[in-house]
Amino acid sequence: MTALPRHAVVHDIHDKSDQTLPDGASARHPDTSVPGVLHNTNIHTQSGPQPVQSLTPGHVLVTYDPEMAEMPAPITKVMAQHVCVLPGLPEDEAGYPIRVLQDAIADGLPTQDVLLTPDQCLFFENKFVPAALLVNRLSIFYDHTFERYIAYPLETDGPAIIVAEGLLVASALPPCPNNTHWHTRTDAPVVTEREVVGALYHRLLARAKSRGLSHSLFEPPEITHEHDLSLITDTGKLIRKMREQNNLAMFMLPPNVHEVHLSSRASRPVDVIAPYVQDKRRLGVRVGEITLQENRKPRKISSHMEKDLPGWHEHDGEPGRWTDGHAHLPMTSERSKNKMGLLSIQILDTIPYMTHDFHGPRKNHK
């Protein structure tokens, strides 16, 4: 279980003892969008703050429009959503709720810790931003202490900005028959662009660091910029690179090796860069040209660019092609019989990696 940053439990008002499912109810897995706040979150109503689970249709909320003009709005629907976490998945896909610590946004915002679903949008400066894109593992993080929980989407008559523990969040909207996306039906945009969300993310991260929050209880992943590209033959032999120069990784190929796997570290950009990049592909290295030299005669290998081979990501419009850390490269037609070969692989791009992020047979060769 992941430990929580300090201060995370001090203000915890969310009682997990009452998170069991009622008779006949079933928990949904976190594979569909469930916006909402969790049990015991106080919502600002015309009669004062009230726990979300006590609200029913007809309760009048204090809400705002995108210009921050106050406008009372009655609740039209409350439907408790029972979510069961799938701990074997990455934390952003497992369904863990997101905890926003007291004062994470500004002094007094929120007034105490708030727990949200990853799909809940927060309101900042005339725009909505999904909470999942702001996770910084200091003041905003996935709370791994939950195995299941109840989330409460609050629907009003039209989109509105509601107040949860002082935090401005989006109301829920009813399903649309023609599957119109949520953000197309609001007066304020839902922003996911890297430049905009990235600036907000780094501002909140800097605030968390200035408040003295640290990873003293939350162990950050160990990051390296070394891709450690090697080859694995069809018999399972590991071939380390002979050298790397000018972005060319060079390997000596024994005779009669007709296929290899390009094996390297591979991580998800959302884990090693920031969640707002929204790239959940597991990336190894971006490979350009591959050349096989035997008897001083170079031959181009282009199967990785032309064929649908295991371990290669789809073409993304940029030069070369990304591996997933264990990419198949056949060379049967290019190899001469009983000859040593020099395989040169052009590496066009890499990312930061988690140090121990190897996959497939390479795990046994670290």
Side-chain angles (χ1 to χ4, degrees):
M1 180 180 295
T2 303
L4 303 180
R6 62 188 180 91
H7 307 319
V9 184
V10 175
H11 309 290
D12 195 356
I13 59 167
H14 301 84
D15 181 10
K16 302 182 185 68
S17 63
D18 192 27
Q19 300 297 297
T20 55
L21 299 181
D23 292 340
S26 59
R28 71 161 66 192
H29 293 308
D31 56 357
T32 54
S33 176
V34 184
V37 297
L38 268 62
H39 198 82
N40 278 350
T41 299
N42 287 314
I43 304 298
H44 197 182
T45 74
Q46 280 197 323
S47 56
Q50 294 191 33
V52 65
Q53 68 271 17
S54 70
L55 300 178
T56 58
H59 273 100
V60 180
L61 304 181
V62 175
T63 69
Y64 297 88
D65 66 16
E67 302 301 322
M68 295 310 296
E70 185 174 323
M71 42 181 281
I75 295 175
T76 57
K77 186 177 182 181
V78 182
M79 181 176 291
Q81 301 290 321
H82 301 271
V83 180
C84 182
V85 172
L86 300 177
L89 297 177
E91 65 176 5
D92 59 317
E93 298 176 357
Y96 291 111
I98 290 176
R99 183 181 290 268
V100 181
L101 293 187
Q102 179 182 8
D103 302 323
I105 310 302
D107 291 346
L109 293 178
T111 55
Q112 53 191 346
D113 292 6
V114 176
L115 284 163
L116 314 163
T117 65
D119 292 303
Q120 178 63 57
C121 283
L122 310 182
F123 186 75
F124 294 94
E125 301 161 356
N126 299 318
K127 58 184 175 291
F128 289 112
V129 178
L133 302 188
L134 300 175
V135 170
N136 57 36
R137 293 178 172 168
L138 285 178
S139 60
I140 304 173
F141 55 91
Y142 289 99
D143 191 332
H144 287 223
T145 64
F146 284 82
E147 296 179 356
R148 61 180 64 214
Y149 56 88
I150 304 173
Y152 295 85
L154 298 177
E155 291 184 15
T156 56
D157 187 15
I161 300 167
I162 64 178
V163 185
E165 307 290 4
L167 196 63
L168 300 178
V169 301
S171 66
L173 288 176
C176 189
N178 59 1
N179 293 320
T180 302
H181 197 275
W182 189 93
H183 74 264
T184 66
R185 295 185 282 151
T186 62
D187 295 327
V190 176
V191 176
T192 59
E193 287 79 4
R194 291 188 186 186
E195 295 77 11
V196 178
V197 180
L200 177 59
Y201 169 91
H202 288 290
R203 190 176 83 198
L204 297 178
L205 177 60
R207 174 177 173 80
K209 291 179 178 178
S210 71
R211 294 173 55 215
L213 298 181
S214 68
H215 292 295
S216 57
L217 294 178
F218 185 96
E219 191 66 31
E222 185 179 347
I223 300 296
T224 179
H225 291 271
E226 173 54 56
H227 54 73
D228 199 6
L229 178 64
S230 297
L231 304 179
I232 296 181
T233 69
D234 53 354
T235 60
K237 180 181 178 181
L238 181 70
I239 301 176
R240 299 282 186 184
K241 65 186 174 188
M242 183 174 65
R243 66 178 182 272
E244 184 172 341
Q245 184 177 356
N246 298 326
N247 296 324
L248 282 179
M250 303 177 195
F251 302 86
M252 291 302 301
L253 282 183
N256 302 318
V257 172
H258 298 287
E259 59 182 276
V260 295
H261 279 80
L262 277 59
S263 179
S264 70
R265 290 187 173 93
S267 296
R268 303 189 313 159
V270 292
D271 296 325
V272 294
I273 300 175
Y276 63 81
V277 302
Q278 302 173 73
D279 190 343
K280 296 186 178 184
R281 295 176 299 170
R282 192 171 296 281
L283 300 182
V285 294
R286 184 188 285 275
V287 175
E289 293 185 351
I290 299 178
T291 303
L292 174 64
Q293 183 171 306
E294 294 175 325
N295 293 331
R296 299 184 179 180
K297 296 179 180 178
R299 301 179 185 177
K300 297 288 185 183
I301 296 178
S302 56
S303 57
H304 66 297
M305 296 299 296
E306 299 170 353
K307 298 180 180 180
D308 184 15
L309 298 173
W312 296 90
H313 285 289
E314 295 292 331
H315 292 281
D316 57 9
E318 298 294 328
R321 195 172 180 184
W322 282 102
T323 74
D324 68 358
H326 189 67
H328 183 222
L329 183 68
M331 300 175 292
T332 302
S333 61
E334 289 87 356
R335 292 233 61 183
S336 301
K337 189 174 182 180
N338 299 323
K339 298 291 184 181
M340 291 290 293
L342 176 65
L343 188 69
S344 299
I345 300 174
Q346 182 186 29
I347 299 176
L348 297 177
D349 201 2
T350 62
I351 63 169
Y353 305 96
M354 293 186 186
T355 301
H356 301 295
D357 235 348
F358 291 95
H359 303 276
R362 184 65 183 281
K363 289 183 178 180
N364 302 321
H365 292 282
K366 290 184 293 185

